[in-house]
């Protein structure tokens, strides 16, 4: 007697054209759209499930609730940049070039994707998501470390160096607001301009920017 096996996963609520995404990715894509367009507080888990094309009960197979979905979306805006920062930490290149590469990669990440997920940073709910805040703090530390190694900043007093590092980090994240006002901005051009501006704030001489940008791009291409 043959035994039938039940398919792994959860049934969909409605039949939808195949997007190539897993159910978990469908949920995140749906939530990302709803959170950024309608707002986090105004979006229910039922609406997320409907947009993703699954039953609401099935959604809890992948996420414990709406805040866990928000945490995953927020973390996705930080993890790739943090991985880049870790890789750049051991690269054989001037710290200024590594800082340029990190600024470029971070800004570009915040400028890409269908929805402006970086805008979720502004939610009060984001403040209490420890996993996201921990990753973001680690990324800030990576900026601190690279900037502290640069020729100009390494000789500054600790308090001034800290302020300068925070300014660089905030400048990179400002592309979130730029994207909100201009959804069609060019990610590569914006990321390059942001990285150049960040190094200027960090005290890098203007005459060195073109060379450091070339080195920074080469680091990213080799990653």
């Amino acid at each position: 007697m043959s035994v039938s096996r039940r398919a792994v996963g959860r049934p969909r609520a409605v039949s939808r054209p195949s997007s190539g995404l897993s159910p978990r990715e469908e949920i995140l894509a749906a939530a990302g759209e709803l959170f950024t367009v309608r707002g986090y507080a105004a979006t229910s888990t039922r609406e997320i499930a409907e947009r993703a094309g699954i039953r609401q009960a099935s959604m809890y197979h992948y996420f414990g609730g709406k805040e866990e979905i928000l945490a995953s979306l927020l973390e996705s805006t930080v993890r790739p940049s943090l991985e880049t920062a870790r890789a750049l930490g051991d690269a054989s290149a001037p710290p200024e070039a590594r800082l340029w590469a990190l600024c470029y990669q971070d800004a570009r990440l915040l400028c890409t994707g269908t929805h402006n997920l970086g805008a979720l940073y502004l939610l009060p709910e984001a403040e209490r998501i420890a996993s996201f805040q921990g990753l973001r703090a680690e990324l800030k530390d990576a900026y601190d470390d690279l900037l502290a190694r640069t020729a100009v900043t390494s000789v500054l007093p600790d308090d001034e160096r800290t302020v300068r590092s925070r300014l660089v980090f905030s400048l990179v994240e400002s592309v979130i607001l730029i994207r909100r006002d201009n959804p069609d901005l060019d990610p590569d051009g914006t990321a390059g301009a942001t990285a150049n501006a960040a190094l200027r704030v960090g005290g890098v001489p203007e005459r060195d920017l073109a060379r450091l940008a070339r080195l920074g791009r080469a680091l990213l291409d080799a990653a």
Side-chain angles (χ1 to χ4, degrees):
M1 181 177 66
S2 63
V3 179
S4 62
R5 294 183 179 272
R6 189 161 59 91
V8 176
R10 294 294 185 272
R12 291 189 174 276
V14 296
S15 176
R16 298 183 62 186
S18 176
S19 64
L21 300 177
S22 69
R24 188 179 190 279
E25 291 168 335
E26 290 272 22
I27 293 167
L28 289 173
E33 178 183 0
L34 291 168
F35 290 169
T36 55
V37 175
R38 295 191 54 193
Y40 177 79
T43 300
S44 67
T45 54
R46 177 183 58 80
E47 290 167 325
I48 296 171
E50 287 178 352
R51 184 63 59 92
I54 65 172
R55 294 183 175 87
Q56 185 177 5
S58 298
M59 190 184 73
Y60 292 103
H61 175 67
Y62 303 98
F63 295 98
K66 191 167 74 165
E67 188 166 299
E68 190 174 320
I69 296 172
L70 176 62
S72 292
L73 289 171
L74 287 168
E75 290 167 19
S76 73
T77 68
V78 179
R79 285 190 186 280
S81 296
L82 189 52
E83 291 170 1
T84 296
R86 290 167 179 162
L88 290 170
D90 298 326
S92 57
E96 293 86 353
R98 288 182 279 161
L99 180 61
W100 190 95
L102 177 58
C103 292
Y104 178 93
Q105 183 72 9
D106 199 10
R108 193 181 190 286
L109 177 66
L110 293 171
C111 288
T112 53
T114 306
H115 306 291
N116 188 10
L117 296 181
L120 302 177
Y121 289 16
L122 307 176
L123 292 172
E125 292 82 3
E127 292 293 328
R128 63 173 183 254
I129 297 179
S131 57
F132 163 65
Q133 294 299 339
L135 290 173
R136 190 161 173 254
E138 190 175 347
L139 183 59
K140 282 183 182 178
D141 288 343
Y143 274 89
D144 288 347
D145 181 66
L146 283 174
L147 189 63
R149 295 170 184 265
T150 63
V152 173
T153 311
S154 62
V155 298
L156 295 177
D158 289 346
D159 56 347
E160 186 173 345
R161 186 167 61 242
T162 298
V163 170
R164 194 169 293 195
S165 178
R166 293 296 175 264
L167 287 171
V168 168
F169 189 74
S170 297
L171 189 152
V172 172
E173 287 196 342
S174 71
V175 300
I176 295 168
L177 299 179
I178 296 173
R179 184 180 181 187
R180 188 172 64 179
D181 295 335
N182 180 15
D184 298 323
L185 56 79
D186 171 46
D188 291 316
T190 302
T194 301
N196 286 340
L199 261 61
R200 291 187 186 101
V201 169
V204 174
E206 185 74 27
R207 65 178 179 274
D208 295 337
L209 287 180
R211 176 179 61 86
L212 294 171
R214 287 195 299 272
L215 291 172
R217 288 183 185 276
L219 287 170
L220 294 173
D221 290 342

